[in-house]
Amino acid sequence: TNPERQRANDTKYLYHQDPDFYYLTGLKEPNAVLLMFKEPQTFYDTIVTDEIIFVQDRNPTQEAWTGKILGKDGVKLQLGFDKVLLNSQFADFKIDFSKFQKVFHKEFFDDVRDDKEDRGDLFSLIKHFRLKTDYKRKNLDNFNLEGWMATLREVKQPEEIVLMRKAIDITCLAHAEMIRALEPNMAEYQAQAVVEYMFKNMGAEYEGYNSIVGGGENSCILHYETNRKKLDGGDMLVVDAGAEYHGYTADVTRTMPMDGKFSEEEKAIYNLVLEAQEAGIKACKAGAEFRASHKAAVAVIQKGLKDLGIIKNSNDFMKYFFHGTSHYLGLDVHDA
């Protein structure tokens, strides 16, 4: 699982599961480990299985502060796992990793805090996995699993498409509501507030990423997140914001004039970008290479900027368009 993140003092950031772990388990809680085997294995002469999940135990005292968690019984009942053990049991769980030809795992990063009172926290799970495999490093592989998970996640299942469409529908309605609410002298954060209120109001659990709401000079910063500038009627506002619904995120960006009217210069650039977008969509079809949409958009931008006299050489478009046109979407905003 993903580590928990400290925000300040004893306050943690809202927890977000590792997307690969969530894809395989449906579990949104921290401090868990999943073992999957190519063939069924026998442990302690009583456990025969090809997968075991170790999860945190329920704690009524803690739940009074932070809410109910699934625990062993909840993971069995709601997530469909047959063999569920407590994460505190992982340290002493007898498993001989040396007998396997290969043991695949994702890379661990050294940014996990140790709760010395908790034998089943993520720090301990990683530590004991390393202890159990340390003497047989030759069969460990921390590279291939991530690629295989990307291959699985690249092709969306029908139920995933339903969730993605829901996230996108929520996002588009939120953008439309924000556009209706815009007026000169608003601040960037007020436009952000309208969008994110609509996300929550329509059932999204989170934003898929930090909302980018930049007016004037801030509209040219690709991942601007400060969102504090006061806007005037002459500003163009870029809003890049997406809702996350049941783990799946949308990503929608739109640009609009704060006073509701395009100047001639603004209209020229806006229509050029619109034409590039439509060319990119047209090029997006089965059998085309991934960058076909980008290449189609670039061709339009290059010609348009030259026609407007903004650039002289085609390659100078990079000064204004130095990013890609698109990316994969799913459990991550920049998906596997």
Side-chain angles (χ1 to χ4, degrees):
T1 54
N2 262 349
E4 297 177 281
R5 299 295 186 193
Q6 212 72 14
R7 185 178 185 274
N9 192 15
D10 59 350
T11 304
K12 294 175 181 175
Y13 282 103
L14 199 61
Y15 184 69
H16 198 281
Q17 187 59 277
D18 174 88
D20 286 340
F21 195 95
Y22 180 68
Y23 183 85
L24 292 173
T25 67
L27 183 67
K28 297 181 179 179
E29 298 170 3
N31 302 317
V33 61
L34 173 68
L35 301 180
M36 300 174 66
F37 305 93
K38 188 175 180 181
E39 292 113 5
Q41 306 293 314
T42 301
F43 302 98
Y44 302 105
D45 297 325
T46 58
I47 300 174
V48 180
T49 186
D50 60 0
E51 62 178 13
I52 307 175
I53 189 167
F54 296 80
V55 302
Q56 54 190 0
D57 198 7
R58 294 192 59 195
N59 181 331
T61 303
Q62 184 64 32
E63 288 180 0
W65 291 91
T66 55
K68 184 179 177 180
I69 65 172
L70 291 176
K72 283 177 60 177
D73 292 339
V75 169
K76 282 187 175 183
L77 182 65
Q78 293 190 34
L79 303 183
F81 278 91
D82 183 39
K83 302 302 178 185
V84 184
L85 300 177
L86 296 179
N87 54 15
S88 57
Q89 296 176 279
F90 182 69
D92 296 326
F93 189 76
K94 297 291 189 291
I95 177 170
D96 181 8
F97 282 109
S98 68
K99 73 176 185 177
F100 297 104
Q101 184 181 2
K102 282 289 183 182
V103 177
F104 300 97
H105 68 93
K106 290 182 68 173
E107 186 176 359
F108 302 122
F109 297 99
D110 296 324
D111 57 355
V112 180
R113 292 190 173 197
D114 182 14
D115 181 351
K116 298 187 185 301
E117 303 297 318
D118 187 354
R119 200 164 183 240
D121 69 349
L122 185 61
F123 186 94
S124 296
L125 295 174
I126 293 172
K127 180 179 80 171
H128 286 286
F129 175 78
R130 284 174 165 160
L131 288 172
K132 293 173 190 293
T133 56
D134 190 51
Y135 59 88
K136 196 68 178 178
R137 285 285 176 187
K138 290 181 180 178
N139 72 343
L140 282 185
D141 182 323
N142 67 354
F143 178 76
N144 280 300
L145 182 58
E146 191 159 351
W148 293 336
M149 289 306 305
T151 301
L152 282 173
R153 286 170 52 192
E154 186 178 15
V155 179
K156 271 45 179 184
Q157 302 303 309
E159 52 269 55
E160 292 182 281
I161 296 292
V162 171
L163 296 175
M164 290 177 69
R165 288 191 183 281
K166 177 72 171 179
I168 292 164
D169 288 344
I170 290 172
T171 300
C172 291
L173 288 168
H175 275 258
E177 185 65 26
M178 180 271 302
I179 291 171
R180 281 191 286 270
L182 281 185
E183 56 186 44
N185 299 319
M186 283 180 71
E188 292 167 339
Y189 59 80
Q190 290 175 307
Q192 175 185 0
V194 175
V195 170
E196 293 182 1
Y197 162 76
M198 293 298 293
F199 289 171
K200 292 284 188 181
N201 190 46
M202 290 186 283
E205 293 92 343
Y206 316 105
E207 304 84 51
Y209 50 96
N210 293 333
S211 298
I212 300 162
V213 184
E217 68 278 9
N218 297 332
S219 66
C220 296
I221 303 171
L222 266 65
H223 288 168
Y224 171 77
E225 296 175 353
T226 308
N227 303 351
R228 302 302 299 177
K229 173 184 165 68
K230 187 175 181 180
L231 303 160
D232 63 43
D235 282 331
M236 292 286 282
L237 180 68
V238 169
V239 177
D240 179 348
E244 181 181 308
Y245 182 78
H246 291 10
Y248 289 83
T249 182
D251 181 3
V252 174
T253 306
R254 289 296 180 268
T255 306
M256 58 230 78
M258 285 302 299
D259 60 5
K261 298 176 181 177
F262 290 100
S263 69
E264 289 303 312
E265 291 86 353
E266 290 167 351
K267 189 185 298 183
I269 297 298
Y270 187 94
N271 284 329
L272 174 57
V273 175
L274 178 59
E275 184 185 348
Q277 180 196 40
E278 290 173 341
I281 291 170
K282 189 176 180 180
C284 183
K285 53 189 176 183
E289 62 170 328
F290 178 71
R291 288 180 66 81
S293 292
H294 178 67
K295 290 177 179 178
V298 164
V300 171
I301 295 291
Q302 286 175 316
K303 181 179 184 303
L305 291 179
K306 285 180 75 174
D307 290 346
L308 291 169
I310 295 173
I311 63 173
K312 293 182 179 179
N313 300 311
S314 293
N315 288 336
D316 289 342
F317 85 96
M318 286 289 291
K319 186 185 294 186
Y320 304 100
F321 186 12
F322 50 88
H323 52 84
T325 300
S326 59
H327 51 78
Y328 290 109
L329 197 62
L331 288 170
D332 282 310
V333 64
H334 296 149
D335 206 42

